[in-house]
Amino acid sequence: MEIAALITWLVTALGGFYMLGTWIARGGVRQQKTGESKLPAPVIFGHFLLAAAGLVVWIIYLFADATALAWLAFGLLVPVALLGFVMLARWIPVHRGRVARLGSGPVPAAGAPVPAERGFPVPVVAGHGLFAVATVVLVLLSALGVGGS
């Protein structure tokens, strides 16, 4: 189960890296000053840094087999998940605005600012979220000792 958690965590990280790279490449950091991006940089980078720290702790746990490290990794995942939900809640209206623009809704003025996060593909967002949930569950079960090493 511990290796399954590692695999789901790595797959989740790949989706996260893709979205972080997209957000940065489309000017998300720069858009913080103008308010165009609905995703606050501290939330994005906090999510990334806590998830990366948790992954490092998890890898150390795999070698050390110290239950305290499994619980520490899980403890780091809790704020990661909360920040992820915050970003999802802020991304959904941006995505809906894109769908409305492509559909029959009002068309924004030419040259209107486009939030950087509008470039996130729905399958990547959904996959990232699903693998994240699987990771949290697997890490919790491992910390609880379910499925033993």
Side-chain angles (χ1 to χ4, degrees):
M1 188 165 325
E2 290 90 354
I3 299 301
L6 175 65
I7 292 167
T8 59
W9 206 324
L10 291 171
V11 171
T12 303
L14 287 175
F17 279 133
Y18 176 81
M19 289 187 287
L20 178 62
T22 299
W23 186 78
I24 290 170
R26 291 178 178 248
V29 175
R30 193 174 55 250
Q31 289 180 352
Q32 295 299 292
K33 295 175 185 163
T34 62
E36 294 165 21
S37 176
K38 304 305 178 212
L39 302 180
V43 173
I44 288 180
F45 290 111
H47 179 77
F48 166 73
L49 291 172
L50 286 170
L55 179 57
V56 168
V57 169
W58 189 253
I59 292 168
I60 294 169
Y61 160 72
L62 291 176
F63 288 102
D65 197 26
T67 305
L69 290 174
W71 282 110
L72 178 58
F74 178 74
L76 287 167
L77 280 177
V78 171
V80 169
L82 293 173
L83 291 172
F85 281 121
V86 166
M87 289 188 290
L88 177 64
R90 295 180 72 109
W91 173 79
I92 288 172
V94 171
H95 172 68
R96 285 188 177 156
R98 176 178 185 257
V99 171
R101 193 183 78 180
L102 296 174
S104 60
V107 178
V114 176
E117 58 273 16
R118 187 166 284 167
F120 297 167
V122 173
V124 174
V125 173
H128 180 74
L130 290 173
F131 276 96
V133 169
T135 300
V136 170
V137 169
L138 289 170
V139 168
L140 176 60
L141 292 175
S142 295
L144 289 170
V146 177
S149 18

